[in-house]
Amino acid sequence: VRRATDRRDAAADRLDDFSGKVAEVQRVCEALATEDKKLDREYRREATEHPDFADALLKLYRRRAVVAAGGASRTSAGSEGASRDPFPEVTPEAPPAVEPLVEGRDAPEGLPGELWTQLVEARDQNIAVEAELTRCTAKLADMTRCLQALSDEEEAAQAEFDDASSALSRHRQAALVGAWDVELPFKLRQGQVEVEEAAVVTDYARATLMPRVQIERLNAEVKRLGGEKVAVLEEIRDFRRGIVQLQWDTKRVEMEISDLVEKTRDVQLLRVTKSLQEKLQGGSTGSHAAETASLERKYEHLTESHAEKVADLKRQHAKYQRLIAEKEREAESLGGQIAQLESSVTEREAIRSAQLKGRGEGADTGKRFEEVHAKSKLSALAKTQVQEIGMLREELDRMRRRTFPTFTHIESARAAQAGL
C-alpha cells in the first residue's frame, strides 16, 4: 500500500506539474492567435484607406508561397516570439519558409513606395507570428499527448492504490473476524433460535447472534408500520364503503323512479270500466251494504256446510276405525287358530310318523299329501283375510280423500304390481 501510495503521489505530482506547463503553452498559443487576428484587422483597416489598391494589397498580404527545398529558406521568427517559449530547451520543428515579395515582380502598377514598404513589413510580421503560432501549436499537441500519458499513468497508479487498499481492508477485516471468532456457550430458548434445525446436527456456522434490544426495536418498528398501513387500509375501506353506499342509494332511487314511471304508464293505459269508475268515485252506500250482506250470508252458509261435512267424515272415520279394529281382532284370533292348528298338525305328524314307521315309501307319500292339503287351506284363509283388510283400507282412504288429497291408491297399485 505504501509503494502504491508513493507511485500514485509521484504520478499525481508529475501530472500537476506538467498540467501547469501545458496550461502555460496554451495561454501562449491563445496570445499568438489573438495577435495574429489583431494584425489582420489592422492591415485590413489600413488597406481600406486606399480603395484603388485595397484588393491587390490584401491579396499580396495573404499570399503564402512556400520556398522549394533547394531554394533559400527564410524564417521571420523574432526575438519576442522566442522569449515567449516556455520550453526554450526544446527546439520544435521549423515551419516551411515563405517566399518573400519582390517589388519589381509583385508590386501593382502605380503603387506608391510607402504602401509597398508598409505591406512588406506587415506581411513579414504576420508571417513571423504565424510561424511562431504553428510551432506553439505543434508543441501543445505533443504536450497534450504527454499529458494524456501522464493521466493514464496516474489513473493506473490510483487503481493500483485502490486494489491495495481493498486488499488491506479485507485482510484487516479477516484478522478482526479471526480475533473475535471464538466459541462461546449460550443458553437460549427454543423460540429465540431462528436457524432451521437439521435432522441430526444443526450447523450454526453462518448463524448470527443479534442483541435482543435490536430485535425488539425492529419488531416495534414493524408493528408501527403495520399499524399505519392498517389505518390507511381502514380509511380506504370506509371511503369505499361510502362510495358503495352512495352508488346503492343512487341505484335504488333510479329503480324507484323507473317503478313510478311504469306505474304511471299502467295507470294512463288502464281501461276504465263502469265498475272501476264507481270504485274510483267512491260508489253508492246501498250497493256496498247489499254486497257485504250477500258475502256474509254466503260465508255463513259455507261455514255450516263445511262443519256438517267435517262431522259426517268424522263419523265415517270412527265407523271404519271400529271395523278395522274388529278385523284386526279377527286376524289375531285366526293367527292363534293357525298356531294351534300348526301345533296339532305337528303332533299328528309325529303320531303318524310313529305309526307308519317302517311301512315304506307309500306311507311317506300320504303324509306329504296331508301336509300340503293343510297348508293350502291355511294359505287360502290368510289370503282371504288379507283381501278383506285391503278392502277396508281402501274404503278408509276413499273417505279420507274427501277431505284432503292422498296418494295411497298409487302406493296400493305399486304394491299390487309387486305382489303379482
Side-chain angles (χ1 to χ4, degrees):
V1 171
R2 291 193 187 93
R3 288 194 298 270
T5 303
D6 295 339
R7 284 194 291 271
R8 185 196 64 179
D9 295 341
D13 293 339
R14 289 195 298 271
L15 181 62
D16 294 339
D17 186 18
F18 199 75
S19 297
K21 295 179 180 180
V22 170
E24 184 179 355
V25 173
Q26 188 173 4
R27 287 193 297 271
V28 172
C29 291
E30 291 176 356
L32 291 173
T34 303
E35 185 177 356
D36 183 39
K37 293 179 181 179
K38 180 180 177 182
L39 293 174
D40 287 342
R41 287 195 302 268
E42 291 178 355
Y43 189 77
R44 191 180 301 109
R45 188 172 56 253
E46 293 178 359
T48 54
E49 294 178 357
H50 305 281
D52 296 337
F53 304 99
D55 295 337
L57 292 175
L58 291 175
K59 186 175 181 180
L60 292 173
Y61 177 80
R62 294 170 181 171
R63 191 176 67 179
R64 300 291 186 269
V66 180
V67 179
S73 64
R74 176 184 175 185
T75 60
S76 303
S79 58
E80 183 180 358
S83 63
R84 296 180 181 178
D85 190 356
F87 300 98
E89 66 278 5
V90 180
T91 304
E93 183 180 358
V98 180
E99 182 181 4
L101 297 176
V102 179
E103 183 176 1
R105 182 190 60 191
D106 299 325
E109 185 176 358
L111 181 66
E114 296 177 357
L115 294 179
W116 176 258
T117 303
Q118 292 176 0
L119 171 62
V120 173
E121 292 177 356
R123 182 172 178 274
D124 292 342
Q125 186 178 1
N126 191 8
I127 290 172
V129 172
E130 289 178 353
E132 187 174 358
L133 179 60
T134 302
R135 288 193 299 272
C136 184
T137 304
K139 182 185 290 186
L140 180 61
D142 294 337
M143 294 180 71
T144 302
R145 288 192 294 272
C146 294
L147 180 64
Q148 184 63 36
L150 291 175
S151 178
D152 296 340
E153 182 180 355
E154 194 270 340
E155 290 178 358
Q158 182 65 35
E160 183 181 0
F161 173 76
D162 293 339
D163 294 339
S165 299
S166 300
L168 179 60
S169 299
R170 289 193 297 272
H171 176 71
R172 288 176 178 174
Q173 184 67 24
L176 181 62
V177 171
W180 288 95
D181 188 9
V182 294
E183 294 183 358
L184 295 175
F186 288 97
K187 185 178 180 181
L188 301 174
R189 296 181 180 178
Q190 185 176 6
Q192 296 177 348
V193 180
E194 298 183 0
V195 179
E196 185 177 357
E197 295 184 0
V200 182
V201 179
T202 304
D203 185 13
Y204 293 98
R206 302 183 63 182
T208 304
L209 184 64
M210 302 295 295
R212 183 174 181 179
V213 178
Q214 293 184 2
I215 300 299
E216 292 177 352
R217 188 184 300 114
L218 180 60
N219 290 337
E221 183 67 17
V222 171
K223 290 181 180 179
R224 185 183 65 81
L225 295 176
E228 293 178 357
K229 185 66 174 178
V230 170
V232 172
L233 292 176
E234 288 179 353
E235 292 179 0
I236 295 173
R237 181 200 61 190
D238 296 338
F239 186 74
R240 288 183 62 84
R241 180 184 299 169
I243 294 174
V244 172
Q245 182 67 28
L246 291 175
Q247 292 177 352
W248 185 84
D249 292 338
T250 303
K251 190 174 181 180
R252 178 179 59 81
V253 172
E254 290 177 354
M255 293 177 70
E256 290 179 354
I257 293 172
S258 177
D259 184 58
L260 292 175
V261 171
E262 292 293 334
K263 288 182 178 178
T264 305
R265 185 183 296 110
D266 293 340
V267 170
Q268 291 175 352
L269 299 177
L270 180 63
R271 185 177 179 180
V272 181
T273 60
K274 187 175 181 180
S275 60
L276 182 59
Q277 288 180 355
E278 292 178 356
K279 290 181 180 180
L280 292 176
Q281 294 174 0
S284 60
T285 307
S287 62
H288 280 255
E291 186 178 357
T292 302
S294 175
L295 291 175
E296 288 178 354
R297 287 193 301 272
K298 186 176 182 180
Y299 174 73
E300 292 175 358
H301 176 71
L302 291 176
T303 303
E304 293 175 357
S305 177
H306 177 70
E308 292 176 357
K309 289 182 180 179
V310 170
D312 186 18
L313 291 174
K314 286 182 178 180
R315 286 192 299 271
Q316 293 180 6
H317 181 264
K319 178 182 177 181
Y320 285 114
Q321 288 290 340
R322 287 193 300 271
L323 291 175
I324 290 171
E326 291 176 0
K327 295 297 181 181
E328 288 179 351
R329 285 193 296 271
E330 291 178 2
E332 290 178 358
S333 63
L334 290 175
Q337 293 177 7
I338 290 171
Q340 292 176 3
L341 291 173
E342 286 180 353
S343 63
S344 63
V345 169
T346 304
E347 292 176 358
R348 290 179 181 180
E349 287 178 354
I351 295 170
R352 184 68 176 171
S353 61
Q355 292 176 356
L356 299 177
K357 189 175 182 181
R359 291 183 181 181
E361 184 178 358
D364 294 337
T365 304
K367 180 180 179 181
R368 287 197 298 271
F369 177 76
E370 291 178 356
E371 291 177 355
V372 170
H373 183 66
K375 289 182 179 180
S376 63
K377 287 183 178 181
L378 293 174
S379 298
L381 181 61
K383 287 181 179 179
T384 303
Q385 293 177 354
V386 168
Q387 289 177 358
E388 291 178 355
I389 293 172
M391 292 173 62
L392 292 174
R393 286 181 178 176
E394 289 179 357
E395 184 66 21
L396 179 61
D397 292 335
R398 187 177 63 80
M399 297 300 296
R400 286 177 179 175
R401 285 198 296 272
R402 292 182 179 180
T403 56
F404 57 90
T406 59
F407 301 96
T408 55
H409 59 287
I410 299 176
E411 295 180 358
S412 61
R414 290 180 179 175
Q417 291 179 1
L420 292 176

